[in-house]
Amino acid sequence: MVTAADTTRALRKHVFPLLRSAGFDDWTTRRAWRHSNDRIDHIEFRSFNGYYADKFEASTASISVWIGISLPFLSYAFEAPDGPKGKRPDEAQMRIRGELYPSTDYVGPVSTQPGIEGIWIVRTHEEAEAASRDIARVIENVGLPRLSETWSAEVLLERMLNEGGEISLKSDDFPGRFWLDVGPSDTPIRNVAISDLAALLGRFSLAADHLERSRWCRNPLTEELYMFLDPAEDEQTRALIAEYQSMR
């Protein structure tokens, strides 16, 4: 019977050498990071426990592939642990995130459930090999080019200011999902991200205004605003707001 360990062995054979040649040099069993100055690129290979394997009509040896980019001007969702080469943020902590899908010419089994297309289903050792070879192709052709792109603080700021919902970064040739994970418009996470970029670009009035708005959440039922920071965090936030206001 094929297991997740068999899939890991196939990934080590077909995928990991590709990542090492692309500069990824910080590893756990299923995760790899690449550090360049203050930027971190990340790729993660996820298996499924029994519950999700059944839910997705897959198996515990099946796999999905996620990528993430942490830029120095977009903070983590929360503090990341340290590794031998630097910080090791999870994909879910990173502000630019993506999920890769099987290639269009892949002949192995994949998920057919709407909204869950990014699963290489593995039920045999042969499928583990085939899935790993296809993952290597997708990473080389699509994943690494996106992970190697540069991102403009000015462009990302304007998109955060002008787009209300999820900000898609997906190109037409990208088989999967790729987005800027900063939450919906006028939420604390979006306002903090706007404030960080605005301050970086010297737009301190905008930075102060959005940092003030980040102190508050809106009740979706009553539309009332309420403060969600604890007193220590709020004191630090108000001090930073005052600093930005002095620099207008």
Side-chain angles (χ1 to χ4, degrees):
M1 178 179 178
V2 68
T3 67
D6 296 309
T7 302
T8 299
R9 280 191 286 271
L11 290 170
R12 286 175 178 163
K13 176 181 177 182
H14 298 290
V15 181
F16 289 8
L18 172 66
L19 296 182
R20 289 194 179 92
S21 68
F24 286 81
D25 60 356
D26 190 5
W27 297 78
T28 63
T29 303
R30 287 288 192 94
R31 299 176 181 181
W33 293 265
R34 177 174 64 185
H35 297 78
S36 177
N37 298 321
D38 291 329
R39 173 181 171 140
I40 305 172
D41 303 318
H42 176 48
I43 189 159
E44 178 178 345
F45 305 94
R46 294 183 190 169
S47 288
F48 304 93
N49 60 28
Y51 171 80
Y52 284 106
D54 290 341
K55 180 178 180 180
F56 298 152
E57 299 177 358
S59 70
T60 56
S62 301
I63 194 157
S64 62
V65 181
W66 298 76
I67 61 176
I69 301 170
S70 177
L71 301 172
F73 49 79
L74 288 174
S75 59
Y76 305 131
F78 50 89
E79 186 61 25
D82 290 312
K85 302 289 185 177
K87 293 293 183 182
R88 283 179 165 181
D90 291 336
E91 174 271 332
Q93 290 180 260
M94 305 176 96
R95 293 304 185 208
I96 296 179
R97 302 173 59 191
E99 179 187 14
L100 301 179
Y101 287 2
S103 65
T104 55
D105 58 352
Y106 178 58
V107 297
V110 297
S111 174
T112 57
Q113 295 188 42
I116 314 176
E117 295 91 353
I119 300 176
W120 284 262
I121 294 177
V122 175
R123 296 194 178 97
T124 68
H125 290 86
E126 291 77 15
E127 288 173 355
E129 289 284 318
S132 296
R133 287 192 294 268
D134 190 60
I135 288 169
R137 286 193 295 269
V138 172
I139 289 175
E140 183 173 21
N141 295 332
V142 180
L144 288 177
R146 296 317 305 264
L147 284 168
S148 300
E149 285 186 32
T150 58
W151 300 91
S152 162
E154 291 87 350
V155 170
L156 293 180
L157 175 60
E158 291 307 313
R159 295 197 65 177
M160 283 189 272
L161 288 169
N162 296 316
E163 298 181 30
E166 180 178 284
I167 300 174
S168 175
L169 302 174
K170 186 179 181 304
S171 57
D172 291 340
D173 62 346
F174 189 86
R177 301 163 55 212
F178 198 60
W179 73 100
L180 182 62
D181 189 10
V182 290
S185 179
D186 211 26
T187 55
I189 184 176
R190 175 80 68 98
N191 284 320
V192 167
I194 290 173
S195 179
D196 288 347
L197 288 189
L200 174 73
L201 297 170
R203 299 174 63 177
F204 295 108
S205 178
L206 182 66
D209 289 346
H210 279 271
L211 196 56
E212 171 62 34
R213 289 162 68 172
S214 78
R215 299 172 61 215
W216 306 88
C217 271
R218 188 177 300 277
N219 186 311
L221 298 177
T222 66
E223 293 296 313
E224 293 180 345
L225 292 173
Y226 63 93
M227 186 173 295
F228 78 105
L229 296 177
D230 66 41
E233 289 178 311
D234 192 53
E235 183 178 355
Q236 293 174 349
T237 299
R238 287 188 289 109
L240 188 55
I241 291 169
E243 180 180 339
Y244 288 158
Q245 288 173 333
S246 71
M247 300 171 71
R248 293 184 185 214

